[in-house]
Structure formats: C-alpha cells, structure tokens
Amino acid sequence: MESALIATDFSTEAGYAVRRASAIARETGMGGELVHVLPGSLPPERHVLAATRAQEALAAVAEQCHADGAAFGIRLLSGSIGDELAAAARGHDLAIAGARGEDVLLYHFALGRTSVRLVQESEHPVLVVKRAVPGPYRRVVAAVDFSPASRAAVAFAARLAPNAHFELAHAYEVMFESTLRRAGTDEETIEGYRIEAHAKALAAMTAFAAALPIAPQRLSTFVLRGYPPRMVLDRAEGAADLVVLGKRSAGPVERFLLGSVALQVLELSPCDVLIVPEAPA
C-alpha cells in the first residue's frame, strides 16, 4: 500500500478523512494525493475564481498534513464529482473519503454521496471515514464469509492497521430453517441442524484465521447465528475503530446496487468502514 487518493470538499467530515489519512501515513509510510473536484457546471467566470480558491485551500490542507507527518501532493479536477474521483482513484491503492460532505445529494444516484459512488465504482479499497481521529486504528471488526473477497479484505486491513487487534465475525444460518418449521419439523431436529451448522462454521473460521498474515495473539474469532449486518454492527458498538467488508467482483448493475450487507453496514456503522473488492480472476 504505497499511495492513497484522499477526497476533500473542505467540509468537516472531509477533514476527518484527511486526518485519518495522515494517521495512516505516519504508521505505514503511505503517500498519496489530496484531490478536490470542482463541479463542471460552474460558469466560466466563477470557475476561475473557484479554482484559485480551491488550489489555495488544497495547499493549506497539504501543509497541515506535512506538519502532522504526512507528505501528500495536491490535485484539482473539474467535472462530475463522482466520475472524476472514481477515475482518479484508479491510480492509487486506496481511496479515502468522508461519509458526508457538502454534496450530500449527488446527481441521481440512489444514495447519492461521493463516498458511496467511490465504493460502487472503485476497483481498489475504499475507506469511508465517519468520525474524528482519536489515534491509530486499534480494534478492527472484520465481517467474513470465508470467501476470497473476505480474505482480501482482512489482508488489506492488516496492512492499513498493522498494530490493531482484529475481531473476525461470521454469522451463519440454518438453510431453509423457516421452511422446515412450516413443514412441521420438530424443534429438536432443527436444533440438531443448528449445532451442525455451528460446528461447520467454527471449522471454517479456524482454517480461515490460520491462513491470514496476522499474528494469532492479535486475532479473536466470533461465530454466531443471526443476520450478518446486525451481528457486525453489534460487534462494532463500543470500542471498535474500523469495520472491514469484502466486496465480490461484479458487473455494472451489481456495483451500483452493492450488497445488502455492505449498504447497511456503510449506512449504520458507528465507526469507519473499509470496503475491499475481490481481486479480478
């Protein structure tokens, strides 16, 4: 992880993202660019003035980052904010953005925010920063389903937060449980299926954790029956600094919709969220 795109519109939450990027840079040596996008719809006479002010503001932010121990370049773009940031992010290992900015409703996307557009379109990991930086990441909750996307997500997060403790959380369900109950299957039999599903999930978690590039003393594992988004959010309550999710490879429609788990966690997580796409086959 050598370089990050740090999106800023100079709002308060964009400031959180910039400070988090600086904290990561101090811990990992990461470089990158501070990027601001001017709306392409600005009239020419306003565009010149806005560009001058934006360059000055970018320079001031970069100077503050330098004082904080991070070296970032600056880049000013113009056009569709979501499109320009998504395109610029392709040249970096990571994109970092605040959860909200001045452009809370952006064009006609269902959720509309720049951070969501980045998550939808980026081929690289996206870190959505939700709150002020208290320090380096120290407790990370990773939602895992034992897929390659989950493995990629946890491995990347381990580079992003090299000194954090990781909680790997997996939610399992008994397949067709409601159907079995409607068909009159007794509770003792259903409980037997639950025990079997739990045992399989525990074995899969053990194998998954053993293959990760994280020391065992920095890992905790949780296998619980329930709804995945709720379980992840419950684990994140309290002292968690970061929630990590994998995103499977998908076509344009799937990228636009994301997944229900990712969307709910992105919306409701009390802490920062890192979404890592699966590497192309």
Side-chain angles (χ1 to χ4, degrees), residues 20-90:
R20 173 56 69 188
S22 294
I24 294 170
R26 288 194 301 272
E27 195 170 24
T28 67
M30 178 187 75
E33 285 185 317
L34 296 161
V35 178
H36 178 73
V37 182
L38 292 173
S41 58
L42 284 176
E45 63 276 10
R46 291 189 60 193
H47 192 281
V48 173
L49 178 59
T52 300
R53 290 179 174 174
Q55 285 281 14
E56 293 172 351
L58 280 171
V61 174
E63 185 176 350
Q64 181 58 56
C65 291
H66 189 268
D68 291 339
F72 299 136
I74 62 174
R75 188 176 180 188
L76 181 62
L77 300 172
S78 178
S80 164
I81 297 172
D83 289 342
E84 292 296 328
L85 286 177
R90 298 187 189 113

Coordinates of all heavy atoms in Angstrom, one line a residue, residues 20-90:
R20 N -7.4 11.2 9.2 CA -7.2 9.8 9.2 C -6.1 9.3 8.2 O -5.3 8.5 8.5 CB -8.5 9.0 8.9 CG -8.4 7.5 8.8 CD -7.8 6.9 10.0 NE -8.7 6.9 11.2 CZ -8.3 6.5 12.4 NH1 -7.1 6.1 12.6 NH2 -9.2 6.6 13.4
A21 N -6.1 9.9 7.0 CA -5.1 9.6 6.1 C -3.7 9.9 6.6 O -2.7 9.2 6.4 CB -5.3 10.3 4.8
S22 N -3.6 11.1 7.3 CA -2.3 11.4 7.9 C -1.9 10.4 9.0 O -0.7 10.1 9.1 CB -2.4 12.8 8.5 OG -2.6 13.8 7.5
A23 N -2.9 10.0 9.8 CA -2.5 9.0 10.8 C -2.1 7.7 10.2 O -1.1 7.1 10.7 CB -3.8 8.7 11.7
I24 N -2.7 7.2 9.1 CA -2.3 6.0 8.4 C -0.9 6.2 7.8 O 0.0 5.3 7.9 CB -3.3 5.6 7.3 CG1 -4.6 5.2 8.0 CG2 -2.8 4.5 6.5 CD1 -5.8 5.1 7.0
A25 N -0.6 7.4 7.2 CA 0.6 7.7 6.6 C 1.8 7.6 7.6 O 2.9 7.1 7.4 CB 0.6 9.0 5.9
R26 N 1.5 8.1 8.8 CA 2.5 8.1 9.9 C 2.9 6.7 10.3 O 4.0 6.3 10.6 CB 2.1 8.9 11.1 CG 2.1 10.4 10.9 CD 2.0 11.1 12.2 NE 0.8 10.8 13.0 CZ -0.4 11.4 12.8 NH1 -0.5 12.4 11.9 NH2 -1.5 11.0 13.5
E27 N 1.8 5.8 10.3 CA 2.0 4.5 10.8 C 2.6 3.5 9.7 O 3.3 2.6 10.0 CB 0.7 3.9 11.3 CG 0.8 2.6 12.1 CD -0.5 2.3 12.8 OE1 -1.6 2.7 12.4 OE2 -0.4 1.6 13.9
T28 N 2.3 3.8 8.4 CA 2.6 2.9 7.4 C 3.6 3.4 6.3 O 4.1 2.7 5.5 CB 1.4 2.4 6.6 OG1 0.8 3.5 5.9 CG2 0.3 1.8 7.6
G29 N 3.8 4.7 6.3 CA 4.6 5.4 5.3 C 3.9 5.6 4.0 O 4.5 6.0 3.0
M30 N 2.6 5.5 4.0 CA 1.8 5.7 2.8 C 1.9 7.2 2.3 O 1.9 8.1 3.1 CB 0.3 5.4 3.1 CG -0.6 5.6 2.0 SD -2.4 5.4 2.5 CE -2.6 6.9 3.5
G31 N 2.0 7.3 1.0 CA 1.9 8.7 0.4 C 0.5 8.8 -0.3 O -0.4 8.1 -0.1
G32 N 0.4 9.8 -1.2 CA -0.8 10.0 -1.9 C -1.1 11.4 -2.4 O -0.2 12.3 -2.4
E33 N -2.4 11.6 -2.7 CA -2.8 12.9 -3.3 C -4.1 13.4 -2.6 O -5.0 12.6 -2.4 CB -3.1 12.8 -4.8 CG -1.9 12.7 -5.7 CD -2.4 12.7 -7.1 OE1 -3.4 12.1 -7.5 OE2 -1.7 13.4 -7.9
L34 N -4.1 14.7 -2.3 CA -5.3 15.3 -1.8 C -6.0 15.8 -3.1 O -5.4 16.6 -3.9 CB -5.0 16.5 -0.9 CG -4.3 16.1 0.4 CD1 -3.7 17.4 1.0 CD2 -5.4 15.6 1.4
V35 N -7.3 15.4 -3.3 CA -8.0 15.7 -4.5 C -9.3 16.4 -4.2 O -10.1 16.0 -3.4 CB -8.3 14.4 -5.3 CG1 -9.1 14.7 -6.6 CG2 -7.0 13.7 -5.6
H36 N -9.5 17.5 -5.0 CA -10.8 18.2 -4.9 C -11.3 18.4 -6.3 O -10.5 18.6 -7.3 CB -10.6 19.6 -4.3 CG -11.8 20.5 -4.3 ND1 -12.9 20.2 -3.4 CD2 -12.2 21.5 -5.0 CE1 -13.8 21.1 -3.6 NE2 -13.5 21.9 -4.6
V37 N -12.6 18.2 -6.5 CA -13.3 18.3 -7.8 C -14.2 19.5 -7.8 O -15.1 19.6 -7.0 CB -14.1 17.0 -8.1 CG1 -14.7 17.1 -9.5 CG2 -13.2 15.8 -8.0
L38 N -14.0 20.4 -8.8 CA -14.9 21.5 -9.0 C -16.0 21.0 -9.9 O -15.8 20.3 -10.9 CB -14.2 22.6 -9.7 CG -13.1 23.4 -8.9 CD1 -12.4 24.4 -9.8 CD2 -13.7 24.1 -7.7
P39 N -17.3 21.3 -9.6 CA -18.4 20.9 -10.4 C -18.2 21.5 -11.8 O -17.9 22.7 -12.0 CB -19.6 21.6 -9.8 CG -19.2 21.8 -8.3 CD -17.7 22.1 -8.4
G40 N -18.4 20.6 -12.8 CA -18.2 21.0 -14.2 C -19.3 22.0 -14.7 O -19.1 22.7 -15.7
S41 N -20.3 22.2 -13.9 CA -21.4 23.0 -14.3 C -21.2 24.5 -13.9 O -22.0 25.4 -14.2 CB -22.7 22.6 -13.6 OG -22.6 22.5 -12.2
L42 N -20.1 24.8 -13.2 CA -19.8 26.2 -12.9 C -19.6 27.1 -14.1 O -19.0 26.7 -15.1 CB -18.5 26.3 -12.1 CG -18.6 25.8 -10.6 CD1 -17.2 25.9 -10.0 CD2 -19.5 26.7 -9.8
P43 N -20.2 28.3 -14.1 CA -20.0 29.2 -15.3 C -18.5 29.5 -15.3 O -17.8 29.5 -14.3 CB -20.8 30.4 -14.9 CG -21.8 29.9 -13.9 CD -21.1 28.8 -13.1
P44 N -18.0 29.8 -16.5 CA -16.6 30.1 -16.7 C -16.0 31.2 -15.7 O -14.9 31.0 -15.2 CB -16.4 30.5 -18.2 CG -17.6 29.9 -18.8 CD -18.7 29.9 -17.8
E45 N -16.7 32.3 -15.6 CA -16.2 33.3 -14.7 C -16.1 32.9 -13.3 O -15.2 33.3 -12.5 CB -17.1 34.6 -14.8 CG -18.6 34.4 -14.4 CD -19.5 33.8 -15.4 OE1 -19.0 33.4 -16.5 OE2 -20.7 33.8 -15.2
R46 N -17.0 32.0 -12.8 CA -17.0 31.5 -11.4 C -15.9 30.4 -11.3 O -15.3 30.2 -10.2 CB -18.3 31.0 -11.0 CG -19.4 32.1 -10.8 CD -20.6 31.6 -10.1 NE -20.3 31.0 -8.8 CZ -21.2 30.2 -8.2 NH1 -22.3 29.9 -8.7 NH2 -20.8 29.7 -7.0
H47 N -15.7 29.7 -12.4 CA -14.8 28.6 -12.4 C -13.4 29.0 -12.1 O -12.6 28.4 -11.3 CB -14.8 27.8 -13.7 CG -14.1 26.5 -13.7 ND1 -12.8 26.4 -13.8 CD2 -14.6 25.2 -13.5 CE1 -12.4 25.1 -13.7 NE2 -13.5 24.4 -13.5
V48 N -13.0 30.1 -12.7 CA -11.6 30.7 -12.5 C -11.4 31.0 -11.0 O -10.4 30.6 -10.4 CB -11.3 31.9 -13.4 CG1 -10.0 32.5 -13.0 CG2 -11.4 31.5 -14.9
L49 N -12.3 31.7 -10.4 CA -12.2 32.1 -9.0 C -12.2 30.9 -8.1 O -11.4 30.8 -7.2 CB -13.3 33.1 -8.7 CG -13.4 33.6 -7.2 CD1 -12.1 34.3 -6.8 CD2 -14.6 34.5 -7.0
A50 N -13.2 30.0 -8.4 CA -13.3 28.8 -7.6 C -12.0 27.9 -7.6 O -11.5 27.4 -6.6 CB -14.5 28.0 -8.0
A51 N -11.4 27.9 -8.8 CA -10.2 27.1 -9.0 C -9.0 27.7 -8.2 O -8.3 27.0 -7.5 CB -9.8 27.0 -10.5
T52 N -8.9 29.0 -8.2 CA -7.9 29.7 -7.4 C -8.0 29.4 -5.9 O -7.1 29.1 -5.2 CB -7.9 31.2 -7.7 OG1 -7.7 31.5 -9.1 CG2 -6.9 31.9 -6.9
R53 N -9.3 29.6 -5.5 CA -9.5 29.4 -4.0 C -9.3 27.9 -3.7 O -8.8 27.6 -2.6 CB -10.9 29.8 -3.7 CG -11.1 31.3 -3.8 CD -12.5 31.7 -3.4 NE -12.7 33.2 -3.4 CZ -13.8 33.8 -3.2 NH1 -15.0 33.1 -3.1 NH2 -13.9 35.1 -3.1
A54 N -9.7 27.0 -4.5 CA -9.5 25.6 -4.2 C -8.1 25.2 -4.2 O -7.6 24.4 -3.3 CB -10.3 24.7 -5.3
Q55 N -7.2 25.7 -5.1 CA -5.8 25.5 -5.1 C -5.2 26.0 -3.8 O -4.4 25.3 -3.2 CB -5.1 26.1 -6.3 CG -5.4 25.5 -7.6 CD -4.5 24.2 -7.8 OE1 -3.9 23.7 -6.9 NE2 -4.4 23.7 -9.0
E56 N -5.6 27.2 -3.3 CA -5.1 27.7 -2.1 C -5.5 26.8 -0.9 O -4.7 26.5 0.0 CB -5.6 29.1 -1.9 CG -5.0 30.1 -2.9 CD -5.7 31.5 -2.8 OE1 -6.7 31.6 -2.1 OE2 -5.2 32.4 -3.5
A57 N -6.8 26.4 -0.9 CA -7.3 25.5 0.2 C -6.6 24.2 0.2 O -6.2 23.7 1.3 CB -8.8 25.3 0.0
L58 N -6.3 23.6 -1.0 CA -5.6 22.3 -1.1 C -4.2 22.5 -0.5 O -3.7 21.6 0.2 CB -5.6 21.8 -2.5 CG -6.8 21.1 -3.0 CD1 -6.7 20.9 -4.6 CD2 -7.0 19.8 -2.3
A59 N -3.5 23.6 -0.9 CA -2.2 23.8 -0.4 C -2.1 23.9 1.1 O -1.2 23.4 1.8 CB -1.6 25.1 -1.1
A60 N -3.2 24.6 1.7 CA -3.2 24.7 3.1 C -3.4 23.4 3.8 O -2.8 23.1 4.8 CB -4.3 25.7 3.5
V61 N -4.3 22.6 3.2 CA -4.5 21.2 3.8 C -3.2 20.4 3.7 O -2.9 19.7 4.7 CB -5.7 20.5 3.1 CG1 -5.8 19.1 3.6 CG2 -7.0 21.3 3.3
A62 N -2.6 20.4 2.6 CA -1.3 19.7 2.4 C -0.3 20.2 3.4 O 0.5 19.3 3.9 CB -0.8 19.8 1.0
E63 N -0.2 21.5 3.6 CA 0.8 22.0 4.6 C 0.5 21.5 6.0 O 1.4 21.1 6.7 CB 0.7 23.5 4.6 CG 1.8 24.2 5.5 CD 1.8 25.7 5.3 OE1 1.1 26.2 4.4 OE2 2.5 26.3 6.2
Q64 N -0.8 21.4 6.4 CA -1.2 20.9 7.7 C -0.8 19.4 7.8 O -0.3 18.9 8.8 CB -2.7 21.1 7.9 CG -3.1 20.6 9.3 CD -2.4 21.3 10.4 OE1 -2.4 22.5 10.5 NE2 -1.7 20.5 11.3
C65 N -1.1 18.6 6.7 CA -0.7 17.2 6.7 C 0.8 17.1 6.9 O 1.2 16.2 7.6 CB -1.2 16.6 5.4 SG -2.9 16.4 5.2
H66 N 1.6 17.9 6.2 CA 3.0 17.8 6.3 C 3.4 18.1 7.8 O 4.3 17.4 8.3 CB 3.7 18.9 5.4 CG 5.2 18.7 5.3 ND1 6.0 19.4 6.1 CD2 6.0 17.9 4.5 CE1 7.3 19.1 5.9 NE2 7.3 18.2 4.9
A67 N 2.8 19.0 8.4 CA 3.1 19.3 9.8 C 2.7 18.1 10.7 O 3.3 17.9 11.8 CB 2.3 20.6 10.3
D68 N 1.7 17.3 10.3 CA 1.3 16.2 11.0 C 2.1 14.9 10.7 O 1.8 13.8 11.1 CB -0.2 15.9 10.7 CG -1.1 16.9 11.3 OD1 -0.7 17.6 12.3 OD2 -2.2 17.1 10.8
G69 N 3.1 15.1 9.8 CA 4.0 14.0 9.5 C 3.6 13.2 8.2 O 4.1 12.0 8.1
A70 N 2.8 13.7 7.3 CA 2.3 13.1 6.1 C 2.6 13.9 4.9 O 2.4 15.1 4.9 CB 0.8 12.7 6.2
A71 N 3.2 13.3 3.9 CA 3.5 14.0 2.6 C 2.5 13.7 1.5 O 2.6 12.6 1.0 CB 4.9 13.7 2.2
F72 N 1.6 14.6 1.2 CA 0.6 14.3 0.2 C 0.7 15.4 -0.9 O 0.9 16.6 -0.6 CB -0.8 14.3 0.7 CG -1.1 13.3 1.7 CD1 -1.8 13.6 2.9 CD2 -0.7 12.0 1.6 CE1 -2.0 12.6 3.8 CE2 -0.9 11.0 2.5 CZ -1.6 11.3 3.6
G73 N 0.6 15.0 -2.2 CA 0.5 16.0 -3.2 C -0.9 16.6 -3.3 O -1.8 16.1 -2.6
I74 N -1.1 17.5 -4.2 CA -2.4 18.1 -4.4 C -2.8 18.0 -5.9 O -2.0 18.0 -6.8 CB -2.5 19.5 -3.9 CG1 -1.6 20.4 -4.7 CG2 -2.2 19.6 -2.4 CD1 -1.8 21.9 -4.3
R75 N -4.1 17.8 -6.1 CA -4.6 17.7 -7.5 C -6.0 18.3 -7.5 O -6.9 17.9 -6.7 CB -4.7 16.2 -7.9 CG -5.0 16.0 -9.3 CD -4.9 14.5 -9.5 NE -5.2 14.1 -10.9 CZ -5.3 12.8 -11.3 NH1 -5.1 11.9 -10.5 NH2 -5.5 12.6 -12.6
L76 N -6.3 19.2 -8.5 CA -7.6 19.8 -8.7 C -8.2 19.3 -10.0 O -7.5 19.4 -11.0 CB -7.4 21.3 -8.7 CG -8.7 22.1 -8.9 CD1 -9.7 21.9 -7.7 CD2 -8.4 23.6 -9.0
L77 N -9.4 18.8 -9.9 CA -10.1 18.3 -11.1 C -11.4 19.1 -11.3 O -11.8 19.8 -10.4 CB -10.4 16.8 -10.9 CG -9.2 15.9 -10.7 CD1 -9.6 14.5 -10.3 CD2 -8.3 15.9 -11.9
S78 N -12.0 18.9 -12.4 CA -13.2 19.5 -12.8 C -14.1 18.6 -13.5 O -13.6 17.9 -14.4 CB -13.0 20.8 -13.6 OG -14.2 21.4 -13.9
G79 N -15.4 18.6 -13.2 CA -16.3 17.7 -13.9 C -17.4 17.1 -12.9 O -17.7 17.7 -11.9
S80 N -17.9 15.9 -13.3 CA -18.8 15.2 -12.4 C -18.0 14.7 -11.2 O -17.0 14.0 -11.4 CB -19.4 14.0 -13.1 OG -20.0 13.1 -12.2
I81 N -18.4 15.1 -10.0 CA -17.6 14.8 -8.8 C -17.3 13.3 -8.7 O -16.2 12.8 -8.5 CB -18.2 15.4 -7.5 CG1 -18.3 16.9 -7.6 CG2 -17.4 14.9 -6.3 CD1 -19.1 17.5 -6.5
G82 N -18.4 12.5 -8.8 CA -18.3 11.1 -8.6 C -17.5 10.4 -9.7 O -16.6 9.6 -9.4
D83 N -17.7 10.8 -10.9 CA -16.9 10.3 -12.1 C -15.5 10.6 -12.0 O -14.6 9.7 -12.2 CB -17.5 10.8 -13.4 CG -18.8 10.2 -13.7 OD1 -19.2 9.2 -13.2 OD2 -19.5 10.8 -14.6
E84 N -15.1 11.8 -11.6 CA -13.7 12.3 -11.6 C -13.0 11.6 -10.5 O -11.8 11.1 -10.6 CB -13.7 13.8 -11.4 CG -14.1 14.6 -12.6 CD -13.3 14.3 -13.9 OE1 -12.1 14.1 -13.7 OE2 -13.8 14.4 -15.0
L85 N -13.6 11.5 -9.3 CA -13.0 10.8 -8.2 C -12.8 9.3 -8.5 O -11.7 8.7 -8.2 CB -13.7 11.0 -6.9 CG -13.6 12.4 -6.3 CD1 -14.5 12.5 -5.0 CD2 -12.2 12.8 -5.9
A86 N -13.8 8.7 -9.0 CA -13.7 7.2 -9.3 C -12.6 7.0 -10.3 O -11.8 6.0 -10.2 CB -15.0 6.7 -9.9
A87 N -12.4 7.9 -11.3 CA -11.4 7.7 -12.3 C -10.0 8.0 -11.7 O -9.0 7.2 -11.9 CB -11.6 8.7 -13.5
A88 N -9.9 9.0 -10.9 CA -8.6 9.3 -10.3 C -8.2 8.2 -9.3 O -7.0 8.0 -9.1 CB -8.7 10.7 -9.5
A89 N -9.1 7.6 -8.6 CA -8.8 6.5 -7.7 C -8.1 5.3 -8.3 O -7.4 4.6 -7.6 CB -10.1 6.1 -6.9
R90 N -8.3 5.2 -9.6 CA -7.7 4.0 -10.3 C -6.1 4.1 -10.2 O -5.5 3.1 -10.4 CB -8.1 3.9 -11.7 CG -9.6 3.7 -11.9 CD -10.0 3.4 -13.3 NE -11.5 3.4 -13.4 CZ -12.2 4.3 -14.1 NH1 -11.6 5.3 -14.7 NH2 -13.5 4.3 -14.1

